[in-house]
Amino acid sequence: MPAFRTSGPLQPLPAPSVLDVPLIQHDGPAATPLVKAGQQVEAGQRIAKATVPGALDVHAPAAGRVTGVVAVDTAWRSNVPAVRIEVDIGRFEQDVVRYGNAGVVRGAGDRHATELPSVDLDALVAAAEWAGLIDFQPSPTSLAECLRQTGGRRIAQLIVNTLAGDLACLPAGPPSRQDCNALVRAADWLGRILAVERVWIAVDRADRAMVRSLRVAARHSRIAIAALVNKYPQRAPVLLAHRLTGRATPPGAGTLDAGVLVLEAQSLMQLADVVQERQRQPDPATSAPLPSWLVCGVVTVAGPAMEKAVTYSVPFGTSFAHILSHAGLKHTPRRVIEGGPLTGRAVGHLDVVTTKRTSTLLVLDRASDRVPVPGPCIRCGWCQDDCPVGLDPRALLNLAERADVSRAAALYPQACLECGVCSYVCPAELPLAEGVMTLKRAVMNAGSGNAKKMMHHQHDSSLTGGSL
Amino acid sequence: MTATQPKQHDSTALLPDAGMLRVGPAPHWHVMPGILQLTASFALAAAALAVSGLALFGWYTVRVLAISVGVALLVESALNTIKGSSSSWSESHALLIGLLFGCTLPPMVSWRVVAVGAAVAVLVGQTLAGGIGNYLWHPVALARVTVQILFASDMNPARWPVLAPEHLFWGSLDRAEPLPALSTWATATPSSPGVQAWLMPSVERLLCEPLTATESQPASAIAAFVRDQAPPWWDTLTGVAGGAIGEASVAAALAVACLLAWRGLLRWPMVFAAIGAAAFTACIFPVRTHATGAPVALCPLPGFAFWNGLPVGAAYVLYQMTAGGFPFVVLLLASDPASSPLASRGHALFGAIIGCATILLRVGLGVPAAVYWALLIANTLVPAIDRMTRRRVLGT
């Protein structure tokens, strides 16, 4: 698989005239809007509040006028309620300056030069809730919920993950020594709050400068720097926990059930950032510079249809059409994927908007986009050999085609990491990952009694090629 | 902001019209070899062996391969017509089966043998057994043992014809005469003009029968085999010791193995396990020997036999490893994904079974084409191997 390495620093995106800020930016319920049509909002102002567990607060990415609540599509959900803001273009440029560096691990060193405040778990949860932080391990969910779940459990080990994921897009250049110092300090800080026995920072062995910097930074601390071969999908929490601590997570469960909290370095740094800011200023949204991650994300746009890979700081709620029209297309896109090539989601139109989980847009042109033509299974066994958790995707696909949920349970489809490797390596181009994921959901919902119905529904929708 | 001033693009004109974007499930990128590429790689490997056969056996190679491939394609086409399905090239396995089956045959075999074998391979071995990915036994091995049973005399000659050094590629096997005593392929001189090929003793046939002892010690039988009966071992490597079209040249089989390894299709655990198991079994399994006027005796631990200070046992083991198409089967046929175990852990066991069974059948029971029988035995055990070597799901 080719890797598209971005060149040059972060680019600002020209101001979009309209932002449709989704009230669901992760895997969770919608927030309740706090603004009305016609109301003026400031950049960073809270425009929706989490009123149910698992929901996230939403902040205005730019100053402007609210025109109402509309339904938009994100790459992962259709008809998501969104607050539409007519952006005040003149103010946008000023706000962009206020955002500061959008790099989170990279560039975080300056923001965390001092000791982090000593707080308890409740304060951490409150901070994560206020900022609407999400964690991506294994799917984008509320970080506050994740932290809350650690409350009643014995968490023995903390793993902070810096490994790149299912990305064909790689960042340019290693982080600075200050960034590494800040990361080590934050990991140590969280480890003390959670009272864990051991703290790991998982880092890509190939990133030698980062490994060296982290080892120097962690020299006098209890942090263990684990330099790993980042063979996809090594960054999956279940695999990281097993690789570093030897603790196996039961199929379908999270690593918390194995006593291990796996946290993205990005989420940790955002959490440290917001806790520090809240100590300084109760409402960091009114402070300057505004924390960039509150209102915009870092999105890499790459792929064969692009002139070159570019990384933008993009306000949440920006349409893909706006990004692509400024990103330097070389050819007309044939497939636009949010996420990486193995697990990303292809969108059916470009009015889809960005959310907090948008980190990559992979743009394929007609020449590079090939529709797989499934052939007969030749029993090569590559899917089984390459499955990181030891599933038998071929057997599971057979069961999925027969909607045989009861027999599938014995093969543990709920252990699937949804990494897509089985489909990627299959020479017959069979939809193995799709079949396993369908069974996974059916098995996990088996208790509700509608597993079989769900199987047929998912099978039908897979034939139509997606929801958007 | 720390960002630099960007060069702004306006690609609005290149944005796709509504409904022009393609959606579909992940993964969105496929660069792994597909079935067509896999089949092409194996077919290329078989073709490379066919070229070695062309050099050693001349136009007889073309004749056998043409009949084999032609019949295989014809049978597949007829079956598709009966089933009412159209087969794409990516699903057509008949070309590969035809090529491989042709490679397992002696060059001067009757056309009936070729036609029957190719038809059996496609009809029984592949189609009736469930098609690609579903057959238990390798179609080529199944066809090979079928013709071995039906046409035993054709398939198990005492001597193999090989073109003489100056007649490679273009000579005729019809003009062959037995290799003179105390001569090798490279040094032999024809007794009459017009001789274009030599008849070489079949090493596999010699190994299937009790070895002839020249003295009272059984080890003398091994020494006699190495010294007097078998062609130089180097000749078995190059292929001039004779054999089936694709089996004769071990060097060609090794070159093909390099090609498959480069394509990532060679199953190393299986290959090493097969070679190791065959060598070990050949070393320890007693060899039957006989001397004139004496009952059959056993030579224990033949691999460790010495005669006049020479390690004749080691040479005997090397002959076992290169005779009877063992490299061809291990490197090419056993790597067939459909009839071998799913998990890589099972490949080693699969290879070990092939290696052991080949020597046991050949030396213990005197079965001709033992390696094909061994492959079928290993194929039969694949479901059990799959069950034994199934990976445990993480966290269970």
Side-chain angles (χ1 to χ4, degrees):
Chain A
M1 190 189 314
F4 304 100
R5 191 173 286 277
T6 54
S7 57
L10 200 65
Q11 308 264 341
L13 192 69
S17 56
V18 171
L19 290 173
D20 288 328
V21 189
L23 302 183
I24 304 175
Q25 305 220 5
H26 63 311
D27 276 353
T32 308
L34 299 172
V35 290
K36 291 179 182 160
Q39 186 177 333
Q40 286 289 331
V41 290
E42 294 294 317
Q45 178 182 335
R46 191 159 59 165
I47 55 173
K49 181 174 173 50
T51 50
V52 289
L56 292 175
D57 284 6
V58 180
H59 302 79
R65 190 173 68 89
V66 175
T67 60
V69 175
V70 295
V72 296
D73 289 337
T74 66
W76 302 88
R77 286 200 194 192
S78 302
N79 291 319
V80 175
V83 173
R84 176 164 287 178
I85 300 173
E86 277 182 0
V87 177
D88 184 339
I89 303 285
R91 297 273 307 279
F92 182 82
E93 296 304 326
Q94 300 166 22
D95 292 335
V96 166
V97 176
R98 282 177 64 206
Y99 293 166
N101 194 327
V104 177
V105 173
R106 290 165 173 79
D110 300 337
R111 299 178 68 84
H112 296 286
T114 57
E115 281 300 308
L116 289 160
S118 183
V119 293
D120 61 5
L121 184 60
D122 290 340
L124 284 185
V125 172
E129 214 160 40
W130 177 88
L133 296 183
I134 59 174
D135 186 49
F136 292 88
Q137 305 266 3
S139 62
T141 48
S142 161
L143 180 60
E145 271 303 301
C146 175
L147 290 171
R148 198 174 278 127
Q149 284 177 25
T150 64
R153 299 168 201 251
R154 175 83 191 93
I155 301 300
Q157 309 213 27
L158 167 67
I159 299 172
V160 177
N161 180 28
T162 70
L163 301 178
D166 172 20
L167 293 179
C169 315
L170 304 172
S176 71
R177 183 162 290 181
Q178 287 79 6
D179 298 338
C180 292
N181 287 341
L183 183 61
V184 167
R185 220 169 15 243
D188 188 43
W189 166 76
L190 186 62
R192 273 187 277 114
I193 295 171
L194 297 176
V196 297
E197 293 162 9
R198 189 148 200 206
V199 181
W200 301 84
I201 295 179
V203 57
D204 190 344
R205 182 186 285 183
D207 196 343
R208 290 185 184 174
M210 189 168 177
V211 172
R212 209 166 30 242
S213 298
L214 283 172
R215 285 199 169 135
V216 169
R219 206 168 27 193
H220 301 300
S221 71
R222 60 177 186 147
I223 312 281
I225 306 300
L228 303 175
V229 176
N230 189 14
K231 188 187 173 198
Y232 179 81
Q234 178 62 70
R235 76 190 295 273
V238 167
L239 300 182
L240 271 182
H242 188 246
R243 172 82 174 72
L244 295 182
T245 70
R247 293 175 181 231
T249 307
T255 56
L256 289 181
D257 292 306
V260 182
L261 173 62
V262 183
L263 209 57
E264 286 280 318
Q266 171 182 307
S267 305
L268 172 64
M269 296 310 293
Q270 288 175 352
L271 184 66
D273 205 6
V274 73
V275 168
Q276 198 168 44
E277 287 298 318
R278 274 165 71 89
Q279 289 281 319
R280 207 180 295 158
Q281 176 84 19
D283 187 0
T286 61
S287 67
L290 191 68
S292 57
W293 42 261
L294 198 62
V295 290
C296 63
V298 177
V299 179
T300 299
V301 189
M306 309 299 301
E307 279 177 8
K308 61 175 183 176
V310 196
T311 302
Y312 286 114
S313 173
V314 181
F316 300 131
T318 305
S319 73
F320 285 12
H322 180 78
I323 299 172
L324 293 185
S325 62
H326 293 91
L329 286 170
K330 191 166 62 177
H331 305 293
T332 297
R334 180 64 166 153
R335 192 183 293 235
V336 177
I337 303 150
E338 180 183 310
L342 295 196
T343 58
R345 182 67 67 97
V347 299
H349 59 86
L350 294 180
D351 294 329
V352 172
V353 297
T354 61
T355 63
K356 286 184 178 175
R357 71 188 294 183
T358 310
S359 61
T360 308
L361 292 186
L362 190 60
V363 191
L364 308 185
D365 55 11
R366 187 177 290 274
S368 57
D369 179 38
R370 203 177 61 76
V371 177
V373 182
C377 172
I378 58 166
R379 278 187 96 260
C380 63
W382 291 350
C383 57
Q384 200 175 332
D385 261 353
D386 288 330
C387 177
V389 292
L391 290 173
D392 184 353
R394 180 177 163 273
L396 285 166
L397 179 66
N398 286 339
L399 293 174
E401 282 169 351
R402 296 202 300 266
D404 193 344
V405 182
S406 53
R407 285 182 63 195
L411 299 178
Y412 303 105
Q414 61 276 40
C416 175
L417 302 177
E418 307 190 7
C419 61
V421 166
C422 50
S423 289
Y424 178 70
V425 300
C426 179
E429 302 188 331
L430 293 168
L432 295 166
E434 236 186 317
V436 177
M437 283 185 252
T438 306
L439 269 184
K440 174 184 178 176
R441 277 159 209 142
V443 168
M444 293 180 90
N445 285 298
S448 63
N450 60 355
K452 193 121 184 169
K453 200 168 122 191
M454 186 182 152
M455 288 288 303
H456 287 300
H457 171 72
Q458 295 219 359
H459 188 62
D460 292 346
S461 68
S462 72
L463 293 176
T464 59
S467 57
L468 288 175
Chain B
M1 185 151 195
T2 56
T4 57
Q5 197 58 36
K7 179 190 164 194
Q8 295 299 348
H9 301 267
D10 187 0
S11 310
T12 312
L14 285 174
L15 291 180
D17 297 330
M20 292 306 290
L21 280 182
R22 192 180 269 165
V23 291
H28 306 283
W29 207 287
H30 284 271
V31 289
M32 299 296 284
I35 294 177
L36 182 59
Q37 286 87 351
L38 293 183
T39 306
S41 296
F42 279 104
L44 191 63
L49 290 177
V51 171
S52 76
L54 191 66
L56 294 168
F57 310 117
W59 74 274
Y60 272 99
T61 299
V62 180
R63 170 183 157 273
V64 169
L65 291 177
I67 296 171
S68 179
V69 170
V71 169
L73 288 173
L74 206 64
V75 171
E76 187 184 60
S77 169
L79 289 169
N80 285 335
T81 308
I82 292 168
K83 285 192 293 185
S85 63
S86 61
S87 175
S88 68
W89 273 104
S90 65
E91 290 176 34
S92 174
H93 209 208
L95 175 71
L96 177 61
I97 286 180
L99 263 177
L100 287 172
F101 178 67
C103 285
T104 68
L105 297 175
M108 294 185 75
V109 75
S110 155
W111 68 270
R112 291 184 196 85
V113 178
V114 187
V116 168
V120 166
V122 175
L123 182 66
V124 182
Q126 181 181 280
T127 308
L128 293 182
I132 296 175
N134 292 317
Y135 51 77
L136 179 65
W137 296 300
H138 196 297
V140 172
L142 189 70
R144 180 65 174 78
V145 297
T146 304
V147 295
Q148 182 74 43
I149 293 167
L150 295 178
F151 309 98
S153 57
D154 284 311
M155 297 302 296
N156 197 24
R159 290 174 181 274
W160 295 99
V162 180
L163 292 174
E166 62 274 23
H167 295 287
L168 289 175
F169 282 105
W170 309 113
S172 171
L173 294 180
D174 294 323
R175 299 174 186 177
E177 69 174 25
L179 195 71
L182 302 176
S183 296
T184 64
W185 175 81
T187 60
T189 311
S191 60
S192 58
V195 171
Q196 297 185 0
W198 297 114
L199 291 171
M200 310 290 289
S202 166
V203 177
E204 192 198 16
R205 188 154 166 170
L206 290 172
L207 290 169
C208 284
E209 292 164 359
L211 300 181
T212 308
T214 52
E215 295 180 29
S216 58
Q217 293 104 318
S220 69
I222 294 178
F225 165 76
V226 172
R227 188 186 56 212
D228 305 330
Q229 296 173 311
W233 186 70
W234 178 254
D235 286 0
T236 67
L237 272 184
T238 56
V240 297
I245 288 169
E247 294 172 357
S249 174
V250 177
L254 291 174
V256 158
C258 293
L259 171 74
L260 292 177
W262 173 62
R263 298 287 293 156
L265 301 176
L266 200 64
R267 297 180 160 177
W268 292 106
M270 187 197 66
V271 171
F272 284 126
I275 292 172
F280 177 74
T281 313
C283 274
I284 63 165
F285 193 76
V287 173
R288 291 170 297 151
T289 63
H290 76 86
T292 311
V296 172
L298 290 178
C299 173
L301 300 177
F304 303 101
F306 278 81
W307 190 253
N308 293 337
L310 294 172
V312 289
Y316 159 81
V317 171
L318 287 176
Y319 277 108
Q320 288 282 16
M321 309 294 295
T322 50
F326 182 77
F328 171 79
V329 169
V330 167
L331 295 172
L332 213 63
L333 296 195
S335 295
D336 174 47
S339 55
S340 56
L342 284 168
S344 52
R345 286 192 299 172
H347 295 158
L349 186 54
F350 183 74
I353 292 169
I354 294 174
C356 276
T358 301
I359 304 298
L360 293 179
L361 290 172
R362 184 188 288 162
V363 180
L365 300 177
V367 175
V371 69
Y372 292 98
W373 284 105
L375 178 59
L376 292 181
I377 291 170
N379 287 158
T380 310
L381 295 173
V382 162
I385 295 172
D386 279 342
R387 272 196 299 276
M388 282 165 60
T389 55
R390 184 174 290 164
R391 281 171 69 194
R392 194 171 166 189
V393 176
L394 188 67
T396 58

